[in-house]
Amino acid sequence: MGVIMPLSEAVESMVHDGDTVAMEGFTHLIPFAAGHEIIRQGRRHLTLVRLTPDLIFDQMIGMGCADKLVFSWGGNPGVGSLHRFRDAVERGWPHPLEIEEHSHAGLTARYVAGASGLPFAVLRGYAGTGLPGQTGTIATVTCPFTGEELAAVPALNPDVGIVHAQQADREGNVQMWGITGVQKETILASSRSLVTVEEVVDRLELRPGGVIIPSWVVGAVAHAPGGSRPSYAAGYYPRDNDFYQAWDPISRERDTFSGWMRDHVLQAVPS
Amino acid sequence: MGVIMPLSEAVESMVHDGDTVAMEGFTHLIPFAAGHEIIRQGRRHLTLVRLTPDLIFDQMIGMGCADKLVFSWGGNPGVGSLHRFRDAVERGWPHPLEIEEHSHAGLTARYVAGASGLPFAVLRGYAGTGLPGQTGTIATVTCPFTGEELAAVPALNPDVGIVHAQQADREGNVQMWGITGVQKETILASSRSLVTVEEVVDRLELRPGGVIIPSWVVGAVAHAPGGSRPSYAAGYYPRDNDFYQAWDPISRERDTFSGWMRDHVLQAVPS
Amino acid sequence: MSAASGDMMAVAAARALSDGQSCFVGIGAPSTAANLARATHAPRLALIYESGCIGSKPTRLPLSIGDGELAETADAVVPVPEIFAYWLQPGRIDVGFLGAAQLDRFANLNSTVIGSYRVPTTRLPGAGGAPEIAGCCKQVLVMIRQSRRSFVSQLDFRTSVGFGDGPGDRARLGLRGGGPAMVITDLGVLVPDPDSCELVLTRIHPGVEPDDVRAATGWDLQVSADLSRTEAPTEEELAALRRLQQAEEVPVAGR
Amino acid sequence: MSAASGDMMAVAAARALSDGQSCFVGIGAPSTAANLARATHAPRLALIYESGCIGSKPTRLPLSIGDGELAETADAVVPVPEIFAYWLQPGRIDVGFLGAAQLDRFANLNSTVIGSYRVPTTRLPGAGGAPEIAGCCKQVLVMIRQSRRSFVSQLDFRTSVGFGDGPGDRARLGLRGGGPAMVITDLGVLVPDPDSCELVLTRIHPGVEPDDVRAATGWDLQVSADLSRTEAPTEEELAALRRLQQAEEVPVAGR
């Protein structure tokens, strides 16, 4: 529970080929370091789950880690397309990518049901859209009191849930603050959980907006300073908006993408 | 939206005979001042809703404000019985009290559904107990994905929701910290909401564990220092455990109860 | 689209917001318009971002809906499950802002795919918060650049619902929000006809003629009998817009 | 019940908890036992209170489950909806502690009413968290004073489920937790028979004879062939118990 170990070791022991891997962080605290380690270790046939695939899944998809993507918004925020995601969906490169598409509200509700030990969640959503016709994990349920029909989505319980946080103490208790997205739900819904952190402290001091996750529900903690760059870690470093913009030309062509990944990820020293 | 007004005025304008009134605060921040004002104004035929009726509802029931009680645990915490509640249920004094009884998890889920704009909530609860046989607002729903049967409870949307918090600013934004129970859900689920506060400050400073409720979802704010005594307000005053123990003999007999209420509530100056 | 027409679109959208309203904002044009409104006539406009930020008061235009400044300047930051369940879903939010790649005559929107879903010509980002914003907000404002590519007779995919297939459809679908109140483009403003629910051109921006708008619409566009002309951006509006656009990225506050 | 037998009950219950477990604690006897365990052999026992306190480390016995000290000493304080939905319901919690006014041979419990529900002789507080604690925790420990009034052949009301009407009932009801593992009384310890699910007396406290326990049971009590005797409270256990009971109320930390 909350064992502190090197990131490479944590990924090796917790992430296996074919796993369903959720990696969350809503714009903030995106676990890039963990994603890069998964790429370096050459994991294959993963089902990747994220509300916003963002650059991290664009990279993992382009490097061939994923057979399937579960998501709700697949763009480069404020910039445009995720070219590797598009190349996989439109042209099957490096290999075809199965997609399971939701809305933010629906995918979020799936995490909540997963964290709550319920088989499904109910929401006002999807009605009249094209999504139920394309996504098998959208159904309806009838209110036993009013007879009203609502949308239902199944619980999401990933094999592995990975998030990045600002701090952990030496017992593996975790604190994150700022925009916390669905990170707590990701940890609680997953069979195994890995939290990378900016720093390991002797004692966690609860901060304004701070969310503490007790060690006994955390699988492993890995010290990964800067582990959410080029996204940001409130209190540590800002979002590298320039890199998000630079990613557009880098990722547009397969060769430039592969070259960049070789130079900046594959040949990088594991943290 | 978050208009600051005297408590007496707020109760007069927001709480009407026959209303369903939820007053929350889980051991901490129980809105006693608001309850006493409702008693002084002689409201009748109320449906009172609280997970733990506690002393405040024992007093309101004994003073004849309530026709019905929706609750999940009706004791004096750590002490024993709520004698006025028992007298109403067992002997119909001052008049018969209809009860609608849930578990904490079920009643909490009803608040969550109410705050979420859903007609019902789903939980793992009640199965095999005597409650579904006595409480009409417990049903079942079948998971459309697994076929599993779960408990369902209808949304709770009170006419009025009343809570006590530590601070509000002059625009009526509210902050509470410590044990926050179901207070946010109570405000968001209710048609009208009233928040009594320990102090009104120029600017809210988010604190560790602080929950901010924006002015535009708050109906009215009333300045009521000490407004949750004899329960407590973290950072302001501790729980008056001696009074909780003293309440047992005070409330055991109808006469001593009525005398105490006359001397300490009816003749008290409205805050 | 010229810078001028982009400004006009932002200004027209900002003017559609009233002070004191709550507004669910996506990134890009909607964020520009909402922040312009805050900087001009609607200082008490409550901006809500799906990242969980409620009441954000950014001094610059964020690149993403989760930028640090949105959290640092917010009245409250809540988890993403809460923003959808407690804030958007119950219909507490007055105005929802949406953009899209395609729009049809009933203001249904497509931001999912061009071509077929399984074999797309162009895969777009997808739904994000759009289906529930379109369903739950008291009213929806759509911002979209107008052309025959975007104003189509038939969507390739329906990502969010405007008025569906016409009158009564929202009620049949159980959508409790009022639906699209206005569509703001770089050419003019369209509003749904109260009876037919079909979009009608009611205003044109300076320098634009009705035929320009018809030519940029993929169906036989209805034009209002009393068509009016949008007032040109004021100096104050343009100055506020420049300030927002030019403001520098500021680093996240230290620990 | 004598002070001595109350101490024995608390000590026996504390011994049933292992270090490192998570324990959902109600007020009264369970809180005493759980805190005694923390003060002796289980310093890393994680106490969870339904008020939302996770990992509380009180130095005194709280009067209520929401006392300030429980929040101040907690690893985390979460809203009440979260404690039930994210923590109790999924079965994350190892041990749930329950008390009751009545218990039957299958360890079903009544804390709701004596007499009929609609015309009660004695109205008790009711369910609180009991139904879901009994259903969801990996195992349940029951603490109850034993007498013919509390150990009854037929409950007046079933507030929470032990083994229902016998083998297989928990599975039929969809209860995912393991159910009662032990019933600790002031006279001894009972555990469910693995086949019949009926409670069997397996241990008696010092100075208690099997006939005393039979006499305090409202049904034909099964007694284990290898009945053992509870080891008397150690000096250390009694000293720790006194410290917890005598610790003063401390005021809530200042602002």
Side-chain angles (χ1 to χ4, degrees), chain A residues 26-27 72-74 78 86 90 101 103-104 108 123-130 134 179 181 199 232 235 238 241, chain C residues 50-51 63-68 80-81 84 89 117-118 122-123 125 128 132 157-159 161 173 176 249 252 255:
Chain A
F26 202 103
T27 310
S72 45
W73 191 82
R86 284 187 55 184
E90 296 171 9
E101 186 166 7
S103 68
H104 279 344
T108 297
L123 72 153
R124 297 187 180 279
Y126 299 111
T129 75
Q134 299 294 348
I179 292 169
E199 62 175 337
Y232 71 105
N241 286 335
Chain C
E50 61 195 5
S51 55
L63 185 67
S64 86
I65 57 165
D67 275 19
V80 163
F84 288 113
Q89 184 168 261
Y117 185 83
R118 290 295 157 193
T122 305
R123 172 65 219 202
E132 291 74 32
F157 187 91
R158 188 188 286 175
T159 308
V161 178
L173 293 167
R176 303 197 302 176
E249 169 96 11
V252 175
R255 302 147 55 190

Side-chain angles (χ1 to χ4, degrees), chain C residues 9-202:
Chain C
M9 184 167 160
V11 167
R15 289 173 183 166
L17 296 168
S18 309
D19 200 16
Q21 286 185 314
S22 54
C23 182
F24 204 95
V25 186
I27 219 60
S31 184
T32 305
N35 280 291
L36 178 58
R38 261 193 64 250
T40 53
H41 66 284
R44 296 173 64 86
L45 183 69
L47 306 189
I48 294 135
Y49 290 82
E50 61 195 5
S51 55
C53 300
I54 299 174
S56 295
K57 303 162 196 65
T59 55
R60 61 186 169 86
L61 294 179
L63 185 67
S64 86
I65 57 165
D67 275 19
E69 197 189 5
L70 296 179
E72 291 151 24
T73 62
D75 294 328
V77 180
V78 302
V80 163
E82 180 179 325
I83 205 76
F84 288 113
Y86 285 9
W87 296 86
L88 178 59
Q89 184 168 261
R92 286 178 213 292
I93 298 175
D94 297 316
V95 181
F97 251 125
L98 291 173
Q102 293 183 331
L103 166 147
D104 69 17
R105 70 181 62 212
F106 292 119
N108 302 299
L109 304 177
N110 170 24
S111 58
T112 301
V113 67
I114 303 299
S116 85
Y117 185 83
R118 290 295 157 193
V119 190
T121 310
T122 305
R123 172 65 219 202
L124 304 166
E132 291 74 32
I133 292 170
C136 299
C137 289
K138 288 177 188 151
Q139 58 168 249
V140 172
L141 300 183
V142 180
M143 294 181 72
I144 181 170
R145 297 174 183 184
Q146 189 160 3
S147 74
R148 284 189 176 272
R149 279 180 57 246
S150 61
F151 273 52
V152 297
S153 59
Q154 179 62 47
L155 299 179
D156 290 2
F157 187 91
R158 188 188 286 175
T159 308
S160 70
V161 178
F163 293 100
D165 299 326
D169 231 27
R170 287 186 66 90
R172 272 192 292 280
L173 293 167
L175 303 178
R176 303 197 302 176
M182 193 183 288
V183 175
I184 296 136
T185 81
D186 50 323
L187 301 180
V189 172
L190 303 88
V191 301
D193 177 89
D195 301 324
S196 70
C197 297
E198 183 173 331
L199 291 173
V200 178
L201 179 70
T202 58

